[in-house]
Amino acid sequence: MPLTPQTSPRCSLYLVTPLLSGAEANAYAKVFAEALEAAPVACALVRLTPGSETHAEAALAPVVRAARAADCALLIENDARLAARLGADGVHVAGAGADLGAAIERLKPDRIVGVGSLQTRDEAMTAGEMGADYVMFGEPYGGTRTRNVAALAERVAWWAEIFETPCVAYADTLEAAGELADAGADFIALDEAIWGSSSPAAAAREAQAWIAGMDVGTP
C-alpha cells in the first residue's frame, strides 16, 4: 500500500501527533479532526506515551474515525502489531535495521511501512532498498533533527533527484514547510507548528498554503 500525495501538485501534508496517553487521545481527537477538516492531509503519524499501548484501541478510536472520514492514512509509531490490531494504515519505524525488516515482513504489501531516524545517506538508501514506502528526514523525536533548514533542504533535493521512494521532510515552522516543498519533498511533516498554535485548524490551512506555493501574507 503506497503512501500517495492528496491534492497538492507538488507535495502534501503529513501531521505528527504529540505523545498521547489514553486520556489525552480522546481530548486530542477533536482538535485532530478540526485540522483534517481545515486542510487536506495525506497522512498522520500517531505517537503514544510508553505504556499506553494496552488501552490504545479504545483510546484512539475517535482519532482513527477522524482519519478515515478525511481519507487520511493513519500510521502508528514503532509498533507493527498495534498498527495491525487497530486497523491502521501502517507503521513508522526508526532506522534501517531489524525493526524495519520485521515491519515490512509483517505489514506489506497491504499496509504502509515508513522509516525515519536515518543517520546517514547510506542508511536512507538501505531503507529504500529494503522496501520502505517512504523515508523521513529531519524529525526531532528520533534524535536526528537537522536544525539547519538549508542542510535539510539539500538532503531532500539529493533524494528527490535520484530516488523514486517518496521523501517526507520534517518542518519545525510553517515557513520551513515552504522551503522544503521547494526542495522537492513529497510530504511535509509538521507537529508543534500545528498543535502549538492557538488555532491548529488555521495553522493547517496556512501550512497547506505554504507547501502549495501560494502567497502567504503576514497578518
Side-chain angles (χ1 to χ4, degrees), residues 85-173:
R85 194 174 89 229
L86 291 174
D89 295 288
V91 69
H92 175 93
V93 302
D99 287 346
L100 176 59
I104 288 172
E105 182 177 355
R106 183 180 184 89
L107 297 182
K108 291 194 67 174
D110 297 325
R111 290 184 169 93
I112 298 163
V113 178
V115 60
S117 300
L118 300 165
Q119 303 288 339
T120 65
R121 293 188 179 195
D122 283 344
E123 189 178 11
M125 289 188 286
T126 297
E129 291 167 357
M130 290 175 68
D133 289 299
Y134 69 79
V135 296
M136 181 183 285
F137 297 131
E139 76 276 24
Y141 42 90
T144 59
R145 179 174 178 176
T146 302
R147 296 182 183 276
N148 187 313
V149 176
L152 179 55
E154 188 276 332
R155 179 162 292 195
V156 167
W158 159 76
W159 184 270
E161 182 178 356
I162 300 173
F163 303 100
E164 294 184 2
T165 301
C167 169
V168 180
Y170 171 84
D172 57 358
T173 67

Side-chain angles (χ1 to χ4, degrees), residues 18 20-34 58-63 195 200:
L20 300 173
S21 66
E24 291 167 336
N26 191 52
Y28 170 78
K30 181 177 183 296
V31 177
F32 178 70
E34 289 171 351
L60 291 177
V63 176
W195 314 122

Side-chain angles (χ1 to χ4, degrees), residues 49-86:
T49 56
S52 62
E53 297 86 359
T54 303
H55 305 291
E57 191 166 357
L60 291 177
V63 176
V64 172
R65 286 196 297 270
R68 287 176 177 166
D71 195 24
C72 169
L74 191 74
L75 308 184
I76 304 298
E77 184 181 45
N78 291 335
D79 196 329
R81 291 184 179 180
L82 179 59
R85 194 174 89 229
L86 291 174

